[in-house]
Amino acid sequence: ERRQNKPFRAGLASMNGFREKQEDAHAMLLNDTWGFFGVFDGHCGPLCSQYEAKRFMEVLGKDAKLPVVDQYITDLCLRLDKEFLDTQQEGGSTGTFMLAYPESGGAKYRLQVGNVGDSRVVVGKRKERLCRSMTEDHKPSNDGERMRIERAGGHVANNRVDGSLAVSRAFGDGNYKDGKSEREHKVIAVPEITTEYFEPGDFVLLCCDGVFESDVFSNESVIAFIFDRLDETQVQLSIIT
């Protein structure tokens, strides 16, 4: 799938893999002054990923006054997580997403990245041919994540929450959300947010952990693969989900 306007060129590819059905979802909104892009990696079914992708686009496309501050993104994640939990449907989803703003007449782009879980946002800087990661995987074995899980009465076994869930932050997963507050569950939907500036000709990769879950493909090797195939005349910011 491809979409394009003056400041952005975006492409999407997905593969079901060995699962019985596709559990992932994506979001893309292109505007002349901003763009929103997201990948939602579902588990235990596609209900949560599809719900979150749809609601992010609805809210940002209709209600949000962009650009937004980091606190708005955090509040939105917690709000949409609660919405899904209130439906009492099963399943969960990670979410990695980005708001991109062309600035200075398109001479630079401000990327505001949010991440919940272990999907990734990685930037390829065209001039330097360098790889820049803008997210950190939220794994239960991470020290800070493990401490929160244990404070909430859970434990980490085999790098999984209570020996079962392989991510420590996610939308949905109501069985792991019984803490005193939204930030004190075993599994939380609080995003980590990073903002940086990049130049026309750079590209951004948003992808689920299926690309990186083995030692075969590192961030650097995936970015190098894309460098070798991008059109050298491309001057817009490219988004690849």
Side-chain angles (χ1 to χ4, degrees), residues 11 14 17 29 36 50 66 78-79 84 89 91 124 143 147 176 189 192 208 212-213 227:
S14 64
L29 291 172
F36 174 76
Q50 292 175 356
L66 296 159
L78 294 174
R79 167 187 158 191
F84 180 78
Q89 298 180 92
D143 289 342
M147 291 174 62
Y176 300 91
E192 286 191 326
C208 68
F212 300 106
E213 62 186 3
F227 269 132

Side-chain angles (χ1 to χ4, degrees), residues 22-214:
Q22 178 62 272
E23 296 183 336
D24 301 345
H26 73 279
M28 286 198 287
L29 291 172
L30 276 66
N31 189 287
D32 287 341
T33 57
W34 59 271
F36 174 76
F37 310 88
V39 170
F40 299 86
D41 183 358
H43 48 264
C44 300
L47 297 177
C48 186
S49 61
Q50 292 175 356
Y51 184 93
E52 298 299 339
K54 178 183 178 182
R55 290 293 290 133
F56 266 95
M57 288 191 290
E58 287 176 345
V59 173
L60 292 174
K62 297 178 181 178
D63 301 336
K65 295 181 179 180
L66 296 159
V68 297
V69 298
D70 289 357
Q71 188 60 51
Y72 175 90
I73 296 175
T74 298
D75 292 343
L76 180 59
C77 286
L78 294 174
R79 167 187 158 191
L80 298 186
D81 181 45
K82 185 177 185 303
E83 280 187 13
F84 180 78
L85 292 172
D86 287 346
T87 69
Q88 298 185 341
Q89 298 180 92
E90 294 184 356
S93 176
T94 68
T96 194
F97 48 86
M98 175 185 71
L99 285 156
Y101 309 98
E103 297 187 358
S104 303
K108 60 181 178 179
Y109 289 80
R110 179 162 62 92
L111 306 188
Q112 189 178 26
V113 170
N115 185 51
V116 177
D118 60 359
S119 295
R120 295 183 186 178
V121 176
V122 186
V123 178
K125 296 182 65 63
R126 173 63 59 85
K127 289 183 179 179
E128 302 90 343
R129 294 187 72 85
L130 292 177
C131 170
R132 173 77 177 92
S133 177
M134 294 190 68
T135 57
E136 179 180 352
D137 297 349
H138 295 133
K139 295 294 189 181
S141 56
N142 296 358
D143 289 342
E145 304 294 292
R146 179 192 291 271
M147 291 174 62
R148 187 194 70 254
I149 293 165
E150 292 175 346
R151 284 196 301 269
H155 68 278
V156 177
N158 298 320
N159 295 324
R160 294 173 178 265
V161 181
D162 292 347
S164 180
L165 188 64
V167 292
S168 55
R169 301 195 190 194
F171 298 99
D173 293 316
N175 292 336
Y176 300 91
K177 294 182 176 176
D178 54 0
K180 296 180 180 179
S181 76
E182 298 161 324
R183 298 175 181 270
E184 295 178 327
H185 301 309
K186 298 176 187 177
V187 174
I188 60 175
V190 178
E192 286 191 326
I193 302 171
T194 305
T195 299
E196 291 190 26
Y197 286 88
F198 295 94
E199 299 178 353
D202 295 340
F203 64 87
V204 190
L205 175 70
L206 295 85
C207 55
C208 68
D209 67 318
V211 176
F212 300 106
E213 62 186 3
S214 70

